[in-house]
Amino acid sequence: MREGFRQSMAWLHTWSGLLVCWVLLLVFSAGTASYFKEEITLWMTPELHVRSAEPVSQQVALQHAVAHLEHNAADAQRWFITLPADRSSALRVGWVPQPPKDGKGNPRGRFKSEILDPATGQKQSDARETRGGEFLYRLHFDLHYMPVTWARWIVSICAMFMLVAIISGIITHKRIFKDFFTFRPGKGQRSWLDAHNATAVLALPYHLMITYTGLITLMFMIMPWGIQSAYKEQGENAFFADVFPTVAGRNGEAGGPAKLAPLVPIAEQAQAHWNGAGLATIVVNNPGHEHASVVITRQRTRTLSYLQPAMVFDGVTGAPTSTAGEDPSGTAVTRGALYGLHMAHFADAWLRVLFFICGLSGCIMVASGALLWAVKTRQKQAKALAQGAARSFGLRLVDALNIGAIAGLPIAFAAYFWANRLLPVGLPQRPQMEINCFFAAWAIAAVLAQLRPSMGMWRFQLSVGAAMLIGIPVLNVFTTHSHLGVTLFQGRGPWSVAGFDITVLLLGIALALVVRVLHRREKKQAKASPASKAAPAKLKEAA
């Protein structure tokens, strides 16, 4: 090793971060938004905003759900009921119809779902279909338009690079905590390094936690050797039985007809067993038959562990038959705690706001690191650029990818929300069309960046992103009855909808301020160096 240890770590830090930084930026931004995925989903279903302000007990909601299913899906194979909760007041029902008797088609039946008003049990036929925040949640580890296994391998490899970059960065910057309190604007490479250090140290424990626990969620795929060694005799199925304690009802032969026991008393039994805790989902297997069973899962409590106990009841007699997750193994508790820490389901609204801010700092950390590499490389090539030489292929590629990812992603997110408001409510495959708008907007931004990776393109795309984000609350005025004038100034809520509008407005203003700074810097440099007007355009862009 010719260079010292810290210098070697600096090289490792640079390349382990640069090679995957654009994927990491997508993962960080989508994962950060996922802390409020239920609130995002609510915002994207404005038809439910008025009804969501009226809390209804779970017993009343369950009665309405059962009545609806008995009327519309009495002969279904299985019922699914998702009860209202603190962060999602919608009542959702679904069912799997019986397979066709002629043996044609899908033998498992096609799943159908509907949203009901929990107060009246009426079907919300006017509620638009959307993936909402669930798309952003799945995006940060499943990506899109590719097999899930491939996507998770890509994300897990990027997460490993991220962990290496964080650890090597800590080793490299021996004055990292001192540098955190130092920021020197207008100093070129020094300013970008200060910004990178400050955002990295500001939430360093969070960055380590979120990266490590993210890898833990995928450990069964990327590091199976420990499982294979510890469960060599029992087999991997025994490990998964320990980690994921589950219980299933009788899903085999339905048996003869029999009346289903009332679900409300069954649900009250489960609540009493869990000391009054709320219920999350109720699944009824073979309703209306003698082998019917009812599986009830408890809502996740605000504890660190992500475990979710369940109980099974006989669907005819209503008697409890089995439980799962009541006495989890040490393996399940450990995994549940790490996974729960990653998901932050235990956090109240203000703690999730803190996690959201830490996630934004992670986005800035990744983006500033990519920009820092480009600034350093441009300075090394400054002499050649001053003589009219073209940028190296690597520098031009990184410049274009930086614009497409850093400036293009806000455009993509904003396009997703604009599509939710502007696409016709009854459009076929509407959820997928919203997602297509997300990727189409991002693809256009990325292509434009590749065609002209210049400072002008930075300003243009950041301006578009700022305008689209600021325009979302304005768009609500013309497309919904729950804009900021109602939710905030009249105080008629829902407050989570007002919080979303305020957040995108602030992010849009932040981008607009960045555009203003870039414009003022360019004018200042032009005044300081009149001769720069005659310099090659590429040198002007490099400034």
Side-chain angles (χ1 to χ4, degrees):
M1 186 183 295
R2 291 185 177 181
E3 299 178 340
F5 178 68
R6 287 184 59 253
Q7 287 74 18
S8 299
M9 288 294 102
W11 179 91
L12 182 62
H13 176 74
T14 298
W15 289 103
S16 61
L18 180 68
L19 292 176
V20 298
C21 64
W22 303 285
V23 179
L24 284 174
L25 188 60
L26 172 65
V27 172
F28 252 101
S29 55
T32 299
S34 298
Y35 288 127
F36 293 94
K37 67 175 183 176
E38 286 84 1
E39 288 77 9
I40 292 174
T41 301
L42 176 61
W43 184 91
M44 296 180 73
T45 49
E47 296 80 9
L48 305 180
H49 290 177
V50 175
R51 304 177 186 95
S52 67
E54 303 173 359
V56 176
S57 68
Q58 289 194 329
Q59 288 79 2
V60 172
L62 179 56
Q63 287 177 342
H64 291 316
V66 172
H68 184 85
L69 290 168
E70 287 179 339
H71 184 266
N72 295 278
D75 60 343
Q77 282 184 313
R78 195 170 295 114
W79 292 349
F80 299 88
I81 303 172
T82 302
L83 295 170
D86 293 339
R87 294 173 58 191
S88 177
S89 59
L91 172 62
R92 300 177 186 274
V93 296
W95 64 90
V96 177
Q98 293 288 348
K101 296 181 179 180
D102 57 7
K104 298 180 180 179
N106 185 359
R108 300 177 59 185
R110 184 177 180 180
F111 179 75
K112 299 181 180 179
S113 64
E114 295 175 349
I115 299 176
L116 306 181
D117 186 336
T120 65
Q122 296 297 316
K123 177 184 175 181
Q124 303 303 310
S125 56
D126 60 338
R128 66 193 66 193
E129 294 185 21
T130 179
R131 288 283 301 280
E134 186 65 21
F135 160 67
L136 301 177
Y137 167 68
R138 305 293 301 189
L139 178 66
H140 96 282
F141 63 95
D142 277 353
L143 303 181
H144 205 70
Y145 299 127
M146 68 173 61
V148 170
T149 302
W150 294 8
R152 295 187 182 184
W153 269 108
I154 292 172
V155 172
S156 61
I157 291 172
C158 292
M160 284 190 282
F161 272 69
M162 177 71 177
L163 188 62
V164 170
I166 292 174
I167 296 174
S168 58
I170 295 172
I171 297 172
T172 300
H173 301 294
K174 63 180 180 180
R175 299 197 314 163
I176 187 169
F177 291 102
K178 181 178 180 180
D179 289 341
F180 169 65
F181 298 98
T182 304
F183 181 69
R184 289 152 283 194
K187 300 296 183 180
Q189 177 183 337
R190 182 70 254 179
S191 299
W192 285 114
L193 183 59
D194 288 344
H196 184 65
N197 288 340
T199 53
V201 179
L202 174 66
L204 180 59
Y206 170 85
H207 298 149
L208 283 168
M209 177 276 294
I210 207 70
T211 305
Y212 178 73
T213 55
L215 284 168
I216 290 296
T217 63
L218 300 170
M219 67 179 181
F220 314 114
M221 181 179 68
I222 62 178
M223 297 187 69
W225 309 286
I227 301 171
Q228 294 169 358
S229 176
Y231 287 79
K232 187 174 183 180
E233 297 180 358
Q234 304 97 317
E236 290 187 5
N237 290 337
F239 168 78
F240 287 107
D242 284 345
V243 176
F244 303 102
T246 58
V247 63
R250 291 171 286 187
N251 301 327
E253 292 295 330
K259 186 177 180 179
L260 181 67
L263 292 189
V264 172
I266 294 177
E268 290 175 346
Q269 287 187 65
Q271 279 190 305
H273 178 77
W274 291 319
N275 298 319
L279 307 181
T281 60
I282 298 176
V283 178
V284 182
N285 301 294
N286 304 318
H289 294 82
E290 60 181 352
H291 290 166
S293 62
V294 181
V295 182
I296 300 180
T297 56
R298 191 195 70 188
Q299 284 185 6
R300 292 185 174 93
T301 56
R302 287 183 178 174
T303 57
L304 187 59
S305 179
Y306 201 71
L307 296 176
Q308 193 173 22
M311 292 185 67
V312 178
F313 295 83
D314 188 295
V316 176
T317 66
T321 59
S322 62
T323 62
E326 299 288 334
D327 187 22
S329 65
T331 306
V333 171
T334 302
R335 190 262 178 190
L338 292 173
Y339 190 51
L341 191 60
H342 186 83
M343 297 292 293
H345 74 96
F346 59 88
D348 59 15
W350 291 110
L351 185 54
R352 281 186 284 118
V353 168
L354 178 60
F355 272 54
F356 182 83
I357 294 173
C358 291
L360 288 180
S361 74
C363 296
I364 298 173
M365 175 188 67
V366 173
S368 60
L371 291 169
L372 178 61
W373 185 93
V375 170
K376 291 172 64 176
T377 305
R378 190 175 292 111
Q379 289 182 350
K380 293 178 181 178
Q381 299 179 11
K383 185 176 181 180
L385 291 172
Q387 295 174 355
R391 280 176 293 181
S392 65
F393 173 78
L395 178 58
R396 189 185 189 283
L397 178 63
V398 170
D399 281 339
L401 289 173
N402 283 344
I403 297 174
I406 299 171
L409 270 175
I411 296 175
F413 277 87
Y416 181 58
F417 300 127
W418 274 72
N420 174 261
R421 290 297 190 256
L422 297 180
L423 291 176
V425 174
L427 183 70
Q429 298 183 340
R430 193 178 189 280
Q432 186 57 47
M433 291 300 297
E434 291 179 353
I435 296 172
N436 291 343
C437 289
F438 176 97
F439 286 103
W442 194 17
I444 292 172
V447 170
L448 290 176
Q450 290 292 337
L451 294 177
R452 188 174 176 79
S454 63
M455 185 59 70
M457 183 58 67
W458 269 111
R459 292 197 307 272
F460 171 72
Q461 292 203 17
L462 289 173
S463 298
V464 171
M468 292 182 70
L469 289 172
I470 293 173
I472 289 174
V474 179
L475 180 65
N476 280 342
V477 176
F478 301 99
T479 56
T480 74
H481 298 290
S482 53
H483 49 80
L484 280 175
V486 174
T487 57
L488 181 63
F489 296 108
Q490 295 183 17
R492 289 194 279 150
W495 291 111
S496 57
V497 174
F500 178 94
D501 286 335
I502 293 172
T503 300
V504 295
L505 181 62
L506 292 176
L507 291 175
I509 292 173
L511 290 183
L513 291 176
V514 172
V515 174
R516 183 183 179 187
V517 169
L518 292 177
H519 183 68
R520 293 177 63 180
R521 280 185 58 191
E522 189 174 18
K523 289 179 62 177
K524 184 177 180 181
Q525 290 175 355
K527 290 181 180 180
S529 304
S532 63
K533 297 181 180 179
K538 293 176 182 177
L539 182 59
K540 183 180 179 181
E541 294 167 2

